[in-house]
Amino acid sequence: MHYSFPLYSIGHFINQPASRTEFEIMRFEHMEEPDVEDLHRHTFYEIIWVDAGQSRQAIDYRDYQLSPESLFFISPGQLHYFEEWEPLCGGSILFSEDFFLLNQQNKDKLFELSFLDNFYANPLLQPSQPDFRDIRHTIELIDLERRRPDYSQAVTQSLLHVLVAQIQRCVDTQQETKASRRSIILYKQLKNLIDQHYTDNQAASFYASALNVTPHHLNLICRQVTGQTASDVIRSRSLLEAKRLLTFSDLTVSEVALQLNFLDPSYFARVFRSQMGVSPAVFKQAMSEKYRL
């Protein structure tokens, strides 16, 4: 692709880029501002909690307003833009996939969590006050363990599993319809495949075959999880890449269309407008002004 964003490990957020740490917990009130670009991607998962203050976050062009007693989730590979962290009281927990799954027999344990990877769930969660208190208690236990001189990775991992289970329970309570864990796992597998093949312009039948399910079953899974068809999910990934290219590359609209295997630029423009409400050219100009490119 013709654009790039910094890809940061956990070490970059503690201003130790060479560190290979796979778990950290940080409080905004005490941390030094990390030496990272405003627009970036992570190699790790991050759970942000807010005790007081306000902040705006953006993930892949969607803006979110963080407020007291809220949680926010960022996943590997997402384009993240963090604004105004200084007025915040709260912090973040950063962990890698390897840390979460270390010595676990069930390697789907991470995939079963619908709020991580932000594939369809809202990355911003406002738990009830009792639930937030319970979550904060677990966070305090994690923080205390991390600062012990005899710090135990096993204890920390166990507490992290408790924390994500508490969060998943809140998510399940707030969702009107809950997809099965099996459906969520299959859907996340589909999204990973789409990330590998979205420039190939493959039909839903290609992904169904790769996942050893029928196209009909794949559509049922997508509708159960997102309310969209499999074709809609595939198209959304192409449009996300189109938005990134229009914003952060010097490619023309026609060149972006060809990059994504839309052989007819006018058809690409119609699809883009139908989804975004504006033409690709208007979108490109607006994003250039927003990010001052």
Side-chain angles (χ1 to χ4, degrees):
M1 290 302 174
H2 294 255
Y3 63 87
S4 62
F5 309 104
L7 183 64
Y8 294 126
S9 67
I10 293 175
H12 288 90
F13 284 80
I14 57 174
N15 289 320
Q16 298 175 29
S19 172
R20 302 186 68 177
T21 180
E22 297 198 71
F23 178 88
E24 291 294 338
I25 180 169
M26 306 182 300
R27 293 181 180 272
F28 296 134
E29 305 97 293
H30 305 141
M31 66 181 283
E32 296 181 12
E33 183 171 0
D35 184 20
V36 299
E37 298 292 329
D38 289 340
L39 279 159
H40 59 267
R41 294 179 298 140
H42 297 177
T43 63
F44 55 89
Y45 292 93
E46 182 173 6
I47 299 174
I48 295 174
W49 80 90
V50 179
D51 294 323
Q54 303 280 337
S55 177
R56 284 182 314 191
Q57 306 278 328
I59 293 179
D60 283 325
Y61 299 93
R62 292 191 177 183
D63 295 328
Y64 302 92
Q65 185 72 36
L66 278 63
S67 56
E69 299 191 353
S70 65
L71 302 170
F72 191 69
F73 316 115
I74 307 164
S75 299
Q78 293 182 313
L79 184 59
H80 178 221
Y81 188 51
F82 192 169
E83 298 181 86
E84 301 173 3
W85 68 270
E86 288 185 67
L88 287 178
C89 290
S92 63
I93 294 173
L94 300 78
F95 62 94
S96 69
E97 177 179 342
D98 287 345
F99 180 87
F100 188 88
L101 295 176
L102 185 66
N103 298 323
Q104 296 295 306
Q105 297 299 314
N106 179 12
K107 296 305 180 182
D108 284 334
K109 194 175 182 70
L110 195 58
F111 257 26
E112 292 172 357
L113 300 167
S114 67
F115 67 91
L116 289 181
D117 298 307
N118 303 143
F119 281 149
Y120 79 97
N122 189 338
L124 177 61
L125 178 66
Q126 191 88 42
S128 67
Q129 285 189 334
D131 284 340
F132 187 77
R133 283 197 298 270
D134 290 344
I135 288 168
R136 283 292 288 110
H137 176 67
T138 304
I139 290 173
E140 287 301 318
L141 292 177
I142 293 173
D143 191 30
L144 287 170
E145 178 61 34
R146 189 68 181 92
R147 291 187 282 110
R148 286 177 64 101
D150 56 347
Y151 161 72
S152 166
Q153 187 179 69
V155 171
T156 303
Q157 185 199 48
S158 297
L159 289 170
L160 178 61
H161 286 185
V162 171
L163 176 66
V164 298
Q166 290 175 313
I167 294 171
Q168 185 65 56
R169 184 168 56 189
C170 293
V171 172
D172 291 343
T173 300
Q174 293 186 14
Q175 285 179 340
E176 294 182 6
T177 58
K178 185 173 71 171
S180 69
R181 289 185 176 183
R182 182 176 177 81
S183 295
I184 291 170
I185 290 170
L186 185 62
Y187 180 74
K188 289 189 177 185
Q189 290 171 341
L190 168 65
K191 291 290 286 185
N192 282 344
L193 276 175
I194 293 173
D195 274 343
Q196 298 170 32
H197 297 285
Y198 64 87
T199 58
D200 300 341
N201 231 356
Q202 297 285 358
S205 57
F206 166 83
Y207 294 102
S209 177
L211 293 168
N212 295 313
V213 299
T214 66
H216 176 69
H217 184 63
L218 188 63
N219 259 328
L220 287 177
I221 293 297
C222 289
R223 286 192 180 279
Q224 182 187 11
V225 174
T226 70
Q228 298 180 313
T229 66
S231 295
D232 291 334
V233 172
I234 296 165
R235 187 180 303 112
S236 295
R237 182 61 181 88
S238 292
L239 287 173
L240 172 59
E241 201 65 23
K243 290 188 287 185
R244 288 177 173 177
L245 288 167
L246 289 168
T247 303
F248 300 106
S249 79
D250 56 2
L251 297 179
T252 66
V253 172
S254 294
E255 289 170 336
V256 169
L258 290 174
Q259 187 83 45
L260 297 174
N261 270 310
F262 285 87
L263 301 182
D264 181 357
S266 61
Y267 173 68
F268 165 72
R270 289 197 302 273
V271 171
F272 190 93
R273 182 188 287 274
S274 71
Q275 296 293 314
M276 299 302 300
V278 296
S279 71
V282 170
F283 178 86
K284 184 177 181 68
Q285 180 61 35
M287 291 300 103
S288 178
E289 294 172 0
K290 178 177 180 177
Y291 294 108
R292 296 181 288 277
L293 299 174

